[in-house]
Amino acid sequence: MSANSWTIAAARDALRAGEVTAVDLTMACLTAMDAGDGLNAFVHKTPEMALEQARAADRRLAAGDAPAMCGIPVGVKDLFAVKGVPTQAGSNILRGFRPEYESTVTTKLWEAGAVCLGKLNMDEFAMGSSNESSCYGPAVNPWKVDERRLTPGGSSGGSAAAVAADLCLAATGTDTGGSIRQPAAFCGITGIKPTYGRVSRWGVVAYASSLDQAGPMTKSVRDAAIMLGAMAGHDAKDSTSADLAVPNFEAALTGDIRGKKIGIPREYRLDGMPAEIAALWDRGMDMMRGAGAEIVDISLPHTKYALPTYYVIAPAEASSNLARYDGVRYGHRAKLAAGDGITEMYEKTRAEGFGPEVQRRIMAGTYVLSAGFYDAYYNRARKVRALIKRDFEQAFAAGIDAILAPTTPSSAFGLGEQGGADPVEMYLNDVFTVTLNLAGLPGVAVPVGLDAKGLPLGLQLIGRPWEEAELLNHAYVLEQAAGFVAKPAKWW
């Protein structure tokens, strides 16, 4: 087995035992990355930085100073600022931007000894469910069942594809409406969206500030626990960062959930749900029941309003956040004609720099925030969001320890097959995921099986706020029971 296919846990143990060096591990990933160019997962490679960090990690390992992520090669979603490295958020409007600062998440990872392999493809400004809105072109799912190229999901599609194809051992992702969990399910890997405020947003390009949350995308639940421990923690530079201690998430993986109550929300069993998704969900219930948990039917009555609520609030926040991209301070600036003033410069720059999906959401967000429609749309959506959050609070107050649900309404679909004439078709991919972001809750996606075409399907577990340790233990039980070990056959 090539070293680039190892888990974080396996690589950590081999590094500490002196069986491999961080440089060797990094070289294995750099070789795999070059061979995997056809997946378009990595959009900016940093081999020199990677080898410099790997040599530093080897020195730390030799000195006995080896945190869990020491020497582990990772990819970074293009939404995270890495000092001196292109950071475009998948958008032409930030072409050429190299930040002079480092995001808190990547700072923590580098301090823990992790190795930066480069930046990963993503939907433009994290707005998308298929990675097709990226200025770099779409990343491609390494799973393939015919001649079609499949989506790796979005917005963290490059992260999911790179981890599934063993181009890196793990990757950072962000989740605003499912952008860690949905691509994790499509690519057969694990991804956790932590509680809002558990991981700092400082240095992460903003989409919707009250919904965005960073998290790890990995090959196993144990790896997710290890990497989340390195990423999490209070940050004074982020006003929404929680001043809470970071538990030892890995130590919480006991595999014991006897007596725990697992809620099954009846509202998630949608009309027209594919039989394979329903059967997978039933199988997941059997697995949790077999581990000693109690399966309890619950109601989350405001679920049906989650998608429209999300697609009012998220574009509204995006229209405000993206107003800063105007061609004045950094990034793209349009060429102006004689007589053009600052208004024309703004208009031309934004028209050229933003792609169609980002333009659509900015316009929708500006509309719902306008004086004549604020109360009818945005203010009403805020009130419904509070009701969605209350539904979860009542379920947990009634003794539910975790909630089990599908992650996606289908397996990965073909690139170009959804959302062409009707963008709402694409938005429906978020039907099971957006509720967590609206409520600020942690959720983890775990691969559980394959569909009839041989493509991965996943389930998600939703936890109480700030209880990622317990949530990961539930996910660990599901992972062990499912025994998912399938890998995509290499074709790229």
Side-chain angles (χ1 to χ4, degrees):
M1 178 187 290
S2 177
N4 57 289
S5 64
W6 289 353
T7 62
I8 292 174
R12 172 193 62 186
D13 294 346
L15 286 163
R16 288 177 174 176
E19 297 168 4
V20 68
T21 67
V23 168
D24 289 340
L25 189 56
T26 299
M27 284 301 303
C29 289
L30 292 172
T31 300
M33 287 162 59
D34 288 342
D37 280 346
L39 297 176
N40 199 28
F42 276 91
V43 292
H44 299 292
K45 299 176 184 177
T46 56
E48 295 85 1
M49 178 181 179
L51 289 170
E52 181 180 342
Q53 290 178 326
R55 287 189 285 268
D58 280 333
R59 290 192 292 271
R60 292 181 69 175
L61 286 157
D65 170 27
M69 292 295 294
C70 192
I72 303 298
V74 301
V76 178
K77 186 177 180 179
D78 194 35
L79 212 61
F80 294 79
V82 176
K83 186 175 181 180
V85 177
T87 300
Q88 291 182 219
S91 180
N92 280 318
I93 207 161
L94 279 172
R95 188 171 297 278
F97 175 58
R98 294 174 182 260
E100 293 298 317
Y101 57 92
E102 190 84 29
S103 77
T104 297
V105 164
T106 52
T107 296
K108 285 178 171 289
L109 288 171
W110 312 153
E111 287 175 350
V115 172
C116 178
L117 295 170
K119 304 300 284 297
L120 291 159
N121 206 346
M122 56 174 284
D123 280 293
E124 184 180 9
F125 282 101
M127 298 181 194
S129 301
S130 64
N131 216 133
E132 291 174 283
S133 69
S134 171
C135 72
Y136 311 112
V140 181
N141 196 323
W143 292 82
K144 197 172 184 181
V145 292
D146 50 33
E147 293 309 306
R148 292 183 306 156
R149 296 194 311 162
L150 302 177
T151 175
S155 63
S156 308
S159 298
V163 174
D166 293 328
L167 309 188
C168 54
L169 271 61
T172 65
T174 63
D175 195 310
T176 304
S179 288
I180 285 174
R181 290 161 290 146
Q182 184 248 28
F186 278 0
C187 292
I189 66 168
T190 297
I192 181 170
K193 172 219 169 294
T195 309
Y196 181 81
R198 173 65 84 182
V199 176
S200 173
R201 294 183 297 109
W202 196 87
V204 181
V205 178
Y207 163 18
S209 299
S210 75
L211 301 166
D212 300 342
Q213 186 62 195
M217 303 180 73
T218 61
K219 299 177 186 180
S220 71
V221 172
R222 184 173 298 278
D223 284 6
I226 294 168
M227 189 169 176
L228 180 59
M231 293 172 66
H234 179 247
D235 180 12
K237 292 182 287 189
D238 176 2
S239 64
T240 63
S241 176
D243 191 2
L244 295 172
V246 178
N248 185 333
F249 297 117
E250 186 181 10
L253 305 181
T254 64
D256 185 1
I257 61 167
R258 289 172 293 179
K260 300 293 185 179
K261 293 184 177 181
I262 308 297
I264 307 299
R266 64 177 65 100
E267 290 80 8
Y268 282 45
R269 204 172 286 279
L270 306 174
D271 292 339
M273 176 183 281
E276 283 184 316
I277 300 295
L280 185 83
W281 196 6
D282 290 338
R283 185 176 160 219
M285 295 180 218
D286 289 341
M287 292 175 188
M288 302 305 275
R289 191 182 289 112
E294 178 184 353
I295 303 299
V296 181
D297 287 332
I298 64 170
S299 178
L300 301 172
H302 295 93
T303 295
K304 61 184 176 181
Y305 304 116
L307 268 179
T309 298
Y310 175 84
Y311 280 103
V312 169
I313 291 174
E317 295 187 12
S319 72
S320 177
N321 276 326
L322 272 60
R324 71 193 69 173
Y325 304 110
D326 54 14
V328 175
R329 287 155 291 187
Y330 48 80
H332 174 72
R333 178 184 292 186
K335 293 182 179 178
L336 303 181
D340 282 349
I342 192 167
T343 300
E344 289 78 16
M345 191 269 285
Y346 288 159
E347 290 175 348
K348 291 181 179 180
T349 294
R350 290 167 68 81
E352 292 174 7
F354 291 135
E357 182 59 34
V358 173
Q359 292 184 26
R360 181 184 294 118
R361 297 197 195 193
I362 289 173
M363 289 189 290
T366 303
Y367 177 82
V368 302
L369 288 175
S370 61
F373 301 99
Y374 182 92
D375 285 332
Y377 291 99
Y378 183 69
N379 213 26
R380 183 173 295 183
R382 288 175 59 243
K383 293 175 181 177
V384 176
R385 180 182 187 174
L387 295 174
I388 291 168
K389 183 178 181 182
R390 190 178 70 182
D391 287 347
F392 284 105
E393 289 171 347
Q394 290 175 341
F396 291 128
I400 296 299
D401 295 290
I403 296 169
L404 179 70
T407 309
T408 59
S410 70
S411 59
F413 50 88
L415 291 167
E417 291 181 2
Q418 285 194 13
D422 181 9
V424 174
E425 181 185 20
M426 187 71 75
Y427 299 165
L428 292 174
N429 283 288
D430 303 331
V431 64
F432 296 124
T433 53
V434 296
T435 52
L436 275 70
N437 300 84
L438 292 167
L441 297 173
V444 58
V446 179
V448 172
L450 301 174
D451 69 2
K453 296 175 289 188
L455 296 175
L457 294 171
L459 293 174
Q460 66 174 332
L461 283 154
I462 304 163
R464 300 170 181 268
W466 313 116
E467 295 190 9
E468 291 88 356
E470 182 174 354
L471 176 65
L472 284 163
N473 188 42
H474 282 84
Y476 179 68
V477 169
L478 182 63
E479 174 187 66
Q480 296 301 303
F484 185 91
V485 294
K487 298 284 288 185
K490 188 172 180 180
W491 57 268
W492 55 90

